[in-house]
Amino acid sequence: MTEPVYETVEEWVTERFVPMYRRTLGGEFRWCPQWWRHAEAISRLTALWHAWEALRLEAGTGMGVWYRDHLDHQLPILLGARGPFYQCSEDEHLEPHLANVEPAPPGWWGSSTESVSDGPADEPELDSHV
């Protein structure tokens, strides 16, 4: 197996992603200098890095596939005005708002052998859960 070019996602972001995929920041494009404080950004950048490491090895169209199937999809979400950096500027990190979560009532998910996709145990009407 070929060794990766970059050992960590931080190294890939710092040495490859940020210098290579420059955008004028503000308005349409957002970035946070503390990108590593955004769980969604870490996840998306890690996915991009892993795909880049794999596809760089494919001769001919590997990088084209990476752009089309990975970067071109992730970049507008990652840097978008409603993406993980939406509250930040290139000079300031603002902690993203965390949505409230309430636990489901006992019995909501049925027995432990049911899959999550099976829905509520008693199949109540949707209006009663809105």
Side-chain angles (χ1 to χ4, degrees), residues 2-97:
T2 304
E3 292 295 316
V5 173
Y6 301 100
E7 294 295 321
T8 65
V9 67
E10 182 177 21
E11 187 179 336
W12 184 80
V13 168
T14 303
E15 295 179 18
R16 178 73 184 189
F17 180 79
V18 170
M20 183 72 154
Y21 308 107
R22 298 176 186 199
R23 300 292 186 271
T24 301
L25 299 175
E28 182 181 356
F29 299 110
R30 308 287 180 160
W31 179 253
C32 182
Q34 296 178 24
W35 61 270
W36 38 265
R37 295 183 78 179
H38 298 266
E40 180 184 355
I42 293 168
S43 181
R44 289 180 182 278
L45 289 164
T46 300
L48 284 169
W49 166 50
H50 285 289
W52 184 89
E53 289 284 2
L55 289 168
R56 73 180 173 82
L57 299 173
E58 291 189 23
T61 62
M63 289 311 296
V65 169
W66 182 79
Y67 277 103
R68 182 194 68 209
D69 293 352
H70 300 279
L71 185 69
D72 290 350
H73 173 74
Q74 295 290 355
L75 201 59
I77 296 168
L78 185 63
L79 301 183
R82 299 304 302 160
F85 306 132
Y86 78 98
Q87 291 181 324
C88 299
S89 71
E90 60 186 305
D91 300 319
E92 180 182 18
H93 166 77
L94 294 175
E95 196 62 33
H97 174 75

